[in-house]
Amino acid sequence: MKSQEDIFQEKIDAELKIEAKDWMPEKYRKTLIRQISQHAHSEIVGMLPEGNWISRAPNLRRKVALLAKVQDEAGHGLYLYSAAETLGAERDQMFRDLNSGKAKYSSIFNYPTLSWADIGAIGWLVDGAAIMNQVMLTRTSYGPYARAMVKICKEESFHQRQGYEIMMTLAQGTPEQKEMAQDALNRWWWPSLMMFGPSDKESTHSAQSMKWKIKRKSNDELRQHFVDVSVPQAAYLDLKIPDENLKWNEERGHHDFGEIDWEEFWNVVKGNGPCNRARLKARNKAYDDGKWVRDAAVAYAEKQLAVSS
Amino acid sequence: MKNWPLWEVFIRSKNGLHHKHVGSLHATDAEMAMQNARDVYTRRSEGVSIWVVESKHITASNPEENGELFEPAQDKVYRHPTFYEMPDELEHI
């Protein structure tokens, strides 16, 4: 007699999607709730560093693009929260976990956006790295998550292009503008590589997630791919990637690159990055300041219900 | 109302096609659900018509009953045109 867990694994191995009401191991459910809600939180917190520049965008074309991008991030957060809810997570609880600091979100958003060039670097590198991960997740084994990812990937591609276009404009501008672009690349390169998570030998959740096909490529594989595609993009901009050990390895058919500062990585994960506190403070303020709006909406709906019944 | 009610969103991408489920959202009432659906699911001209329905009004089949629900259709090949033998030279049938 096959156990439910065996049947579940057979479905996964046969590339059948798991849907919300299907039987699943409790740990599969928990892993997905953790991963999807973290992903949702990242979209929501990700609006903060970019929102910082909406009112200071250099022209109207850049401003409408950035507004549309930030609005997309809000939408992506909502798709993902909905996907997590199909597994039994509660929206309000997820908000509370984010605001209390209990839940994690991508560490990249704990770095500050100091100049307009950072908006270019974020679109090019941060969205570029996110897309690499998200394209893989369009084939994840849990149906609602995969479908959310398909929608997100369709919308993300403009994000990366608008970022690269900003970098290109600056890199081909005055020496001062080019220097701004180089400075942004210097500051965002390493944190972007960290977005793929700990190296495979340190990653605690990886083996099981690969077996369940929640993820299909390892952190190091995705990171290598990101480096390989970014090198010619940086060369086109005539900007220098800040890594002395970066060079093409003919034998491997990939670029070799330097060691990530893992101490910095874990330090930011643990809450001690340059903006962790500011991000949580902004989220809490938005939530608290919006309370009267939520209360009013509920009061209005209840009143309408009372009138109609 | 701690968690606002959940609504399912269905969109018709163009006239001539069915409405299709695209996702869900929270809203206090139908009007807000409609406005949110427009902002969340049609930012790139994905639709010409939106339906929103509160999720609690949807009855879903239970995957554990898939056997009795769907298996009876699997051995009824005679419901498909390919079951019937036709000579090759025959046309328009």
Side-chain angles (χ1 to χ4, degrees):
Chain A
M1 183 71 188
K2 278 182 202 162
S3 69
Q4 276 187 307
E5 192 134 6
D6 292 337
I7 297 167
F8 175 82
Q9 189 62 48
E10 278 174 12
K11 279 169 81 176
I12 300 274
D13 294 341
E15 296 293 336
L16 294 172
K17 296 284 181 211
I18 307 301
E19 294 293 343
K21 295 183 83 177
D22 294 341
W23 185 90
M24 61 186 82
E26 222 19 61
K27 193 154 170 266
Y28 178 82
R29 181 186 302 277
K30 283 210 173 104
T31 302
L32 275 170
I33 288 178
R34 181 179 50 79
Q35 181 172 333
I36 299 172
S37 60
Q38 280 183 12
H39 200 156
H41 297 327
S42 302
E43 300 283 355
I44 298 302
V45 177
M47 290 192 279
L48 297 171
E50 293 185 299
N52 181 32
W53 280 91
I54 291 173
S55 62
R56 292 176 288 163
N59 59 47
L60 192 56
R61 185 174 184 273
R62 295 290 185 221
K63 187 170 180 164
V64 291
L66 185 57
L67 264 172
K69 179 178 191 291
V70 171
Q71 194 187 4
D72 274 351
E73 312 295 4
H76 298 174
L78 296 178
Y79 304 154
L80 288 160
Y81 282 128
S82 293
E85 286 177 271
T86 64
L87 292 158
E90 277 199 19
R91 182 78 61 108
D92 277 18
Q93 186 60 47
M94 289 188 275
F95 283 162
R96 279 198 293 275
D97 288 347
L98 170 62
N99 290 356
S100 70
K102 183 182 167 216
K104 297 269 179 263
Y105 53 86
S106 179
S107 279
I108 193 77
F109 303 117
N110 290 317
Y111 290 86
T113 41
L114 303 178
S115 83
W116 171 251
D118 290 18
I119 299 304
I122 287 179
W124 171 36
L125 298 171
V126 175
D127 287 288
I131 288 168
M132 219 145 260
N133 189 39
Q134 290 173 164
V135 165
M136 168 190 77
L137 289 171
T138 60
R139 298 193 303 122
T140 193
S141 58
Y142 185 58
Y145 193 22
R147 291 193 288 276
M149 280 299 124
V150 170
K151 274 206 279 280
I152 289 174
C153 284
K154 272 189 199 157
E155 300 185 352
E156 284 275 352
S157 57
F158 114 72
H159 298 182
Q160 196 188 12
R161 282 165 167 239
Q162 69 90 35
Y164 194 80
E165 196 190 82
I166 291 171
M167 292 301 273
M168 208 159 50
T169 306
L170 291 171
Q172 293 166 0
T174 64
E176 289 81 5
Q177 285 173 319
K178 188 169 182 187
E179 205 173 302
M180 270 173 73
Q182 181 64 55
D183 170 61
L185 172 57
N186 291 349
R187 284 180 290 108
W188 289 95
W189 175 254
W190 289 104
S192 297
L193 292 194
M194 293 177 197
M195 284 176 70
F196 296 97
S199 74
D200 293 349
K201 46 186 193 299
E202 303 287 331
S203 182
T204 44
H205 306 294
S206 278
Q208 185 62 66
S209 286
M210 296 279 258
K211 188 171 172 234
W212 279 334
K213 296 189 181 170
I214 293 174
K215 57 193 280 186
R216 288 166 179 269
K217 287 180 180 166
S218 76
N219 295 353
D220 287 337
E221 267 178 273
L222 288 167
R223 187 163 21 237
Q224 178 70 63
H225 186 42
F226 177 74
V227 171
D228 289 339
V229 302
S230 299
V231 167
Q233 292 170 357
Y236 184 85
L237 295 172
D238 192 30
L239 297 178
K240 192 180 175 308
I241 290 175
D243 180 355
E244 293 306 321
N245 297 308
L246 184 71
K247 64 168 188 296
W248 177 249
N249 182 326
E250 189 65 48
E251 206 175 305
R252 291 202 307 125
H254 292 292
H255 292 85
D256 291 336
F257 55 97
E259 188 66 22
I260 285 169
D261 181 351
W262 293 111
E263 200 176 319
E264 175 182 329
F265 173 83
W266 290 114
N267 199 35
V268 183
V269 169
K270 283 175 186 141
N272 303 315
C275 299
N276 294 58
R277 287 170 194 80
R279 299 294 183 238
L280 279 193
K281 204 172 151 196
R283 279 310 311 156
N284 277 289
K285 183 176 185 314
Y287 193 78
D288 295 344
D289 290 355
K291 185 175 183 300
W292 71 270
V293 180
R294 295 193 301 276
D295 289 348
V298 170
Y300 178 77
E302 280 169 352
K303 198 172 160 193
Q304 293 301 307
L305 216 57
V307 170
S308 67
S309 59
Chain B
M1 237 191 265
K2 192 183 67 154
N3 275 305
W4 289 0
L6 190 66
W7 300 72
E8 300 301 324
V9 181
F10 300 81
I11 289 180
R12 185 203 296 285
S13 58
K14 62 176 186 184
N15 277 10
L17 296 178
H18 290 292
H19 283 75
K20 195 175 155 195
H21 183 242
V22 294
S24 51
L25 50 78
H26 288 272
T28 52
D29 59 23
E31 191 188 347
M32 188 198 275
M34 185 60 78
Q35 286 168 353
N36 289 355
R38 174 231 183 223
D39 284 345
V40 178
Y41 292 105
T42 65
R43 285 196 303 283
R44 286 174 177 79
S45 317
E46 287 92 340
V48 295
S49 167
I50 302 174
W51 289 347
V52 288
V53 58
E54 216 180 315
S55 309
K56 70 176 182 193
H57 296 307
I58 292 180
T59 306
S61 64
N62 183 347
E64 279 163 32
E65 289 161 11
N66 275 8
E68 52 199 273
L69 279 174
F70 306 118
E71 270 169 26
Q74 283 171 10
D75 60 359
K76 294 180 178 56
V77 286
Y78 47 88
R79 284 179 175 168
H80 299 276
T82 47
F83 178 73
Y84 300 92
E85 283 180 29
M86 290 288 130
D88 287 345
E89 57 270 33
L90 208 65
E91 288 180 328
H92 306 299
I93 186 161

